[in-house]
Short mmCIF file of all heavy atoms in Angstrom, two decimals:
data_model
loop_
_atom_site.label_atom_id
_atom_site.label_comp_id
_atom_site.label_asym_id
_atom_site.label_seq_id
_atom_site.Cartn_x
_atom_site.Cartn_y
_atom_site.Cartn_z
N TYR A 24 92.41 100.19 137.47
CA TYR A 24 91.11 100.34 138.19
C TYR A 24 89.93 100.84 137.31
O TYR A 24 88.87 101.17 137.80
CB TYR A 24 91.19 101.30 139.32
CG TYR A 24 92.45 100.94 140.23
CD1 TYR A 24 93.62 101.75 140.21
CD2 TYR A 24 92.44 99.83 141.03
CE1 TYR A 24 94.67 101.36 141.06
CE2 TYR A 24 93.54 99.41 141.86
CZ TYR A 24 94.61 100.22 141.77
OH TYR A 24 95.72 99.88 142.59
N THR A 25 90.16 100.90 136.02
CA THR A 25 89.21 101.34 135.06
C THR A 25 88.38 100.17 134.45
O THR A 25 89.04 99.16 134.06
CB THR A 25 89.84 102.10 133.93
OG1 THR A 25 90.58 103.24 134.55
CG2 THR A 25 88.84 102.65 132.92
N THR A 26 87.10 100.30 134.41
CA THR A 26 86.23 99.18 133.85
C THR A 26 85.51 99.67 132.60
O THR A 26 84.63 98.88 132.18
CB THR A 26 85.25 98.81 134.94
OG1 THR A 26 84.46 99.95 135.39
CG2 THR A 26 85.98 98.29 136.19
N SER A 27 85.80 100.76 132.03
CA SER A 27 85.08 101.23 130.86
C SER A 27 86.06 101.94 129.94
O SER A 27 87.12 102.24 130.30
CB SER A 27 83.96 102.11 131.18
OG SER A 27 84.44 103.31 131.79
N CYS A 28 85.68 101.97 128.66
CA CYS A 28 86.43 102.73 127.63
C CYS A 28 85.44 103.31 126.66
O CYS A 28 84.26 102.98 126.63
CB CYS A 28 87.45 101.86 126.98
SG CYS A 28 86.71 100.53 125.78
N THR A 29 85.89 104.29 125.93
CA THR A 29 85.03 105.06 125.04
C THR A 29 85.67 105.24 123.64
O THR A 29 86.86 105.18 123.52
CB THR A 29 84.64 106.45 125.64
OG1 THR A 29 85.91 107.24 125.76
CG2 THR A 29 83.99 106.36 126.87
N VAL A 30 84.74 105.37 122.64
CA VAL A 30 85.20 105.68 121.30
C VAL A 30 84.20 106.83 120.82
O VAL A 30 83.00 106.54 120.88
CB VAL A 30 85.11 104.48 120.27
CG1 VAL A 30 85.51 104.92 118.87
CG2 VAL A 30 86.11 103.42 120.77
N PRO A 31 84.58 107.94 120.34
CA PRO A 31 86.00 108.26 120.11
C PRO A 31 86.77 108.48 121.42
O PRO A 31 86.11 108.66 122.52
CB PRO A 31 85.97 109.53 119.25
CG PRO A 31 84.66 110.17 119.71
CD PRO A 31 83.74 109.01 119.91
N ASP A 32 88.06 108.42 121.37
CA ASP A 32 88.94 108.70 122.52
C ASP A 32 90.06 109.45 122.10
O ASP A 32 90.53 109.48 120.89
CB ASP A 32 89.31 107.41 123.16
CG ASP A 32 89.69 107.56 124.66
OD1 ASP A 32 89.68 108.68 125.14
OD2 ASP A 32 90.04 106.44 125.28
N ASP A 33 90.75 110.15 123.06
CA ASP A 33 91.91 110.92 122.73
C ASP A 33 93.15 109.93 122.69
O ASP A 33 93.41 109.23 123.60
CB ASP A 33 92.17 111.98 123.89
CG ASP A 33 93.41 112.81 123.66
OD1 ASP A 33 94.03 112.67 122.61
OD2 ASP A 33 93.71 113.66 124.57
N PRO A 34 93.75 109.95 121.51
CA PRO A 34 94.98 109.02 121.41
C PRO A 34 96.03 109.33 122.42
O PRO A 34 96.77 108.35 122.81
CB PRO A 34 95.48 109.35 120.01
CG PRO A 34 94.36 109.87 119.24
CD PRO A 34 93.56 110.61 120.22
N GLY A 35 96.09 110.53 123.03
CA GLY A 35 97.03 110.79 124.06
C GLY A 35 96.90 110.09 125.25
O GLY A 35 97.81 110.04 126.13
N ARG A 36 95.73 109.54 125.53
CA ARG A 36 95.49 108.71 126.69
C ARG A 36 96.31 107.55 126.68
O ARG A 36 96.77 107.03 127.79
CB ARG A 36 94.05 108.28 126.71
CG ARG A 36 93.70 107.19 127.76
CD ARG A 36 92.40 106.63 127.57
NE ARG A 36 92.10 105.56 128.60
CZ ARG A 36 90.96 104.87 128.61
NH1 ARG A 36 89.99 105.09 127.85
NH2 ARG A 36 90.93 103.84 129.53
N TYR A 37 96.73 106.99 125.62
CA TYR A 37 97.44 105.67 125.41
C TYR A 37 98.88 105.97 125.34
O TYR A 37 99.47 106.60 124.44
CB TYR A 37 96.89 104.94 124.21
CG TYR A 37 95.46 104.57 124.28
CD1 TYR A 37 94.50 105.35 123.85
CD2 TYR A 37 95.18 103.29 124.81
CE1 TYR A 37 93.16 105.06 123.90
CE2 TYR A 37 93.80 102.86 124.84
CZ TYR A 37 92.83 103.70 124.40
OH TYR A 37 91.52 103.38 124.52
N ARG A 38 99.64 105.35 126.33
CA ARG A 38 101.03 105.67 126.39
C ARG A 38 101.81 104.66 125.49
O ARG A 38 102.89 105.10 124.88
CB ARG A 38 101.54 105.41 127.85
CG ARG A 38 103.06 105.54 128.01
CD ARG A 38 103.41 105.41 129.46
NE ARG A 38 104.88 105.53 129.60
CZ ARG A 38 105.52 105.40 130.78
NH1 ARG A 38 104.83 105.19 131.86
NH2 ARG A 38 106.81 105.48 130.84
N PHE A 39 101.31 103.52 125.31
CA PHE A 39 102.05 102.46 124.61
C PHE A 39 101.39 102.13 123.20
O PHE A 39 100.17 101.92 123.15
CB PHE A 39 102.15 101.15 125.38
CG PHE A 39 102.79 101.35 126.75
CD1 PHE A 39 101.99 101.51 127.90
CD2 PHE A 39 104.15 101.45 126.88
CE1 PHE A 39 102.54 101.66 129.11
CE2 PHE A 39 104.73 101.68 128.13
CZ PHE A 39 103.94 101.77 129.35
N TRP A 40 102.20 102.07 122.19
CA TRP A 40 101.69 101.90 120.85
C TRP A 40 102.54 100.88 120.16
O TRP A 40 103.72 100.79 120.29
CB TRP A 40 101.80 103.22 120.02
CG TRP A 40 100.86 104.28 120.56
CD1 TRP A 40 100.91 105.08 121.63
CD2 TRP A 40 99.53 104.58 119.89
NE1 TRP A 40 99.85 105.88 121.74
CE2 TRP A 40 99.00 105.61 120.70
CE3 TRP A 40 98.86 104.11 118.83
CZ2 TRP A 40 97.69 106.17 120.43
CZ3 TRP A 40 97.66 104.68 118.46
CH2 TRP A 40 97.04 105.68 119.32
N GLY A 41 101.89 100.15 119.26
CA GLY A 41 102.53 99.22 118.28
C GLY A 41 103.06 100.06 117.11
O GLY A 41 102.76 101.20 116.98
N GLN A 42 103.74 99.35 116.23
CA GLN A 42 104.29 99.99 115.05
C GLN A 42 103.31 100.15 113.89
O GLN A 42 103.58 100.90 112.94
CB GLN A 42 105.56 99.22 114.53
CG GLN A 42 105.26 98.02 113.74
CD GLN A 42 104.59 96.89 114.39
OE1 GLN A 42 104.66 96.77 115.70
NE2 GLN A 42 104.06 95.96 113.62
N GLY A 43 102.18 99.42 114.03
CA GLY A 43 101.21 99.52 112.99
C GLY A 43 101.35 98.40 111.95
O GLY A 43 102.26 97.88 111.69
N THR A 44 100.17 98.09 111.40
CA THR A 44 100.07 97.16 110.31
C THR A 44 99.24 97.67 109.16
O THR A 44 98.06 98.28 109.43
CB THR A 44 99.54 95.76 110.78
OG1 THR A 44 99.64 94.81 109.73
CG2 THR A 44 98.12 95.86 111.30
N GLN A 45 99.65 97.50 107.92
CA GLN A 45 98.97 98.18 106.79
C GLN A 45 97.84 97.31 106.41
O GLN A 45 97.95 96.11 106.19
CB GLN A 45 99.96 98.34 105.63
CG GLN A 45 99.26 98.86 104.36
CD GLN A 45 98.86 100.34 104.49
OE1 GLN A 45 99.64 101.15 105.01
NE2 GLN A 45 97.68 100.70 104.05
N VAL A 46 96.57 97.93 106.23
CA VAL A 46 95.39 97.35 105.69
C VAL A 46 95.03 98.08 104.35
O VAL A 46 94.83 99.27 104.42
CB VAL A 46 94.31 97.29 106.65
CG1 VAL A 46 92.98 96.86 105.97
CG2 VAL A 46 94.58 96.46 107.90
N THR A 47 95.01 97.39 103.29
CA THR A 47 94.59 97.96 102.01
C THR A 47 93.47 97.23 101.40
O THR A 47 93.57 95.99 101.24
CB THR A 47 95.85 97.91 101.05
OG1 THR A 47 96.95 98.56 101.57
CG2 THR A 47 95.46 98.56 99.65
N VAL A 48 92.46 97.91 101.14
CA VAL A 48 91.15 97.30 100.60
C VAL A 48 91.04 97.85 99.21
O VAL A 48 90.77 99.01 98.95
CB VAL A 48 89.96 97.64 101.47
CG1 VAL A 48 88.74 96.90 100.89
CG2 VAL A 48 90.17 97.25 102.93
N SER A 49 91.24 96.97 98.26
CA SER A 49 91.21 97.42 96.85
C SER A 49 90.89 96.13 95.94
O SER A 49 91.32 95.05 96.24
CB SER A 49 92.62 97.93 96.46
OG SER A 49 92.59 98.37 95.11
#
């Protein structure tokens, strides 16, 4: 029922997470 989101945001709000992907800029 939520129609908005904000940044910054508390990571604790999010229950589900992916494993991550590495980004390297060099």
Side-chain angles (χ1 to χ4, degrees):
Y24 309 109
T25 301
T26 58
S27 64
C28 70
T29 59
V30 177
D32 202 359
D33 182 2
R36 168 190 177 183
Y37 295 88
R38 178 178 178 181
F39 304 99
W40 292 79
Q42 83 290 342
T44 185
Q45 177 70 46
V46 172
T47 303
V48 185
S49 179

